[in-house]
Amino acid sequence: MITLSIINDEMVLPDKRLISNKVSGTVELDTIEEISWVALNYHIAPATFNNDLKNLASLNQIQILCFDFDNGLITSKEVHEQLKNINHLILASKSHLMDKQDGKGIIERFHVFIPVNEAITDKDLYKFICKQIALKYKWNDDKAVIEASRYYFKHKSKLFITNDMP
């Protein structure tokens, strides 16, 4: 079972800023397919927090390793192929295949979610594990967002999924 936090629409501004540093609540999910559904319908923070305060000091646990790809240097299909033997979910971000006027043009922008068997309760351990996975696969993902308390704006669509969770 995976527990993550959700953030309701009224708590998020159109520019993706949060109105407050609180999450709306948590959900318990049994499959990656369920994680996908929640991430397509709600803004999510893959971690849970003490007193619903979304910050590193209040981190309770996180059961999903998260990666952000927004530079156009690797495709979601390439990442999916690299992870073919690992349970994972790849979702299109809000800006997927859009020109954000940042000089990159129309590129894939997506998030990769990898569930883990045991909850991680240490923010530094979480960051270390994510960095090691990025090194292993030679990913040039956005390192600035490897943070256990990060939230993800409601996703646009499901791109790939490998779901062998019991």
Side-chain angles (χ1 to χ4, degrees):
M1 182 167 311
I2 301 266
T3 305
L4 57 82
S5 298
I6 58 170
I7 301 168
N8 292 331
D9 285 339
E10 61 270 8
M11 298 177 73
V12 181
L13 298 171
D15 66 1
K16 301 199 292 189
R17 286 183 298 137
L18 294 176
I19 291 173
S20 77
N21 219 26
K22 291 202 64 127
V23 298
S24 303
T26 61
V27 292
E28 292 181 348
L29 308 166
D30 292 318
T31 68
I32 295 176
E33 201 61 58
E34 288 176 349
I35 296 168
S36 173
W37 186 90
V38 169
L40 292 170
N41 290 283
Y42 293 91
H43 312 287
I44 63 166
T48 61
F49 307 92
N50 296 317
N51 300 314
D52 290 334
L53 287 173
K54 193 194 78 57
N55 60 47
L56 287 175
S58 299
L59 178 70
N60 181 13
Q61 61 85 39
I62 186 165
Q63 297 170 273
I64 304 172
L65 305 176
C66 307
F67 302 89
D68 184 5
F69 293 84
D70 59 4
N71 57 21
L73 299 177
I74 190 168
T75 67
S76 59
K77 184 175 183 177
E78 290 170 321
V79 172
H80 176 64
E81 285 298 316
Q82 289 177 321
L83 297 174
K84 64 183 170 194
N85 296 319
I86 298 172
N87 289 331
H88 67 278
L89 172 64
I90 302 177
L91 299 174
S93 70
K94 178 183 177 188
S95 304
H96 182 70
L97 298 177
M98 291 176 58
D99 189 346
K100 289 177 60 176
Q101 306 299 314
D102 59 2
K104 297 176 187 173
I106 297 174
I107 60 170
E108 281 196 293
R109 291 179 174 87
F110 58 94
H111 301 130
V112 175
F113 300 101
I114 303 172
V116 295
N117 293 329
E118 289 188 38
I120 301 167
T121 58
D122 182 282
K123 63 182 172 42
D124 295 323
L125 177 60
Y126 173 81
K127 190 176 275 196
F128 174 79
I129 293 169
C130 288
K131 285 181 180 180
Q132 292 304 305
I133 289 174
L135 281 171
K136 174 181 178 171
Y137 292 109
K138 298 178 176 64
W139 288 344
N140 192 7
D141 58 317
D142 189 340
K143 305 290 188 262
V145 298
I146 298 177
E147 180 190 308
S149 67
R150 180 165 191 243
Y151 103 94
Y152 294 85
F153 195 87
K154 192 183 302 184
H155 289 84
K156 196 184 258 188
S157 64
K158 177 173 51 173
L159 299 174
F160 295 98
I161 188 168
T162 296
N163 186 7
D164 292 327
M165 289 174 67

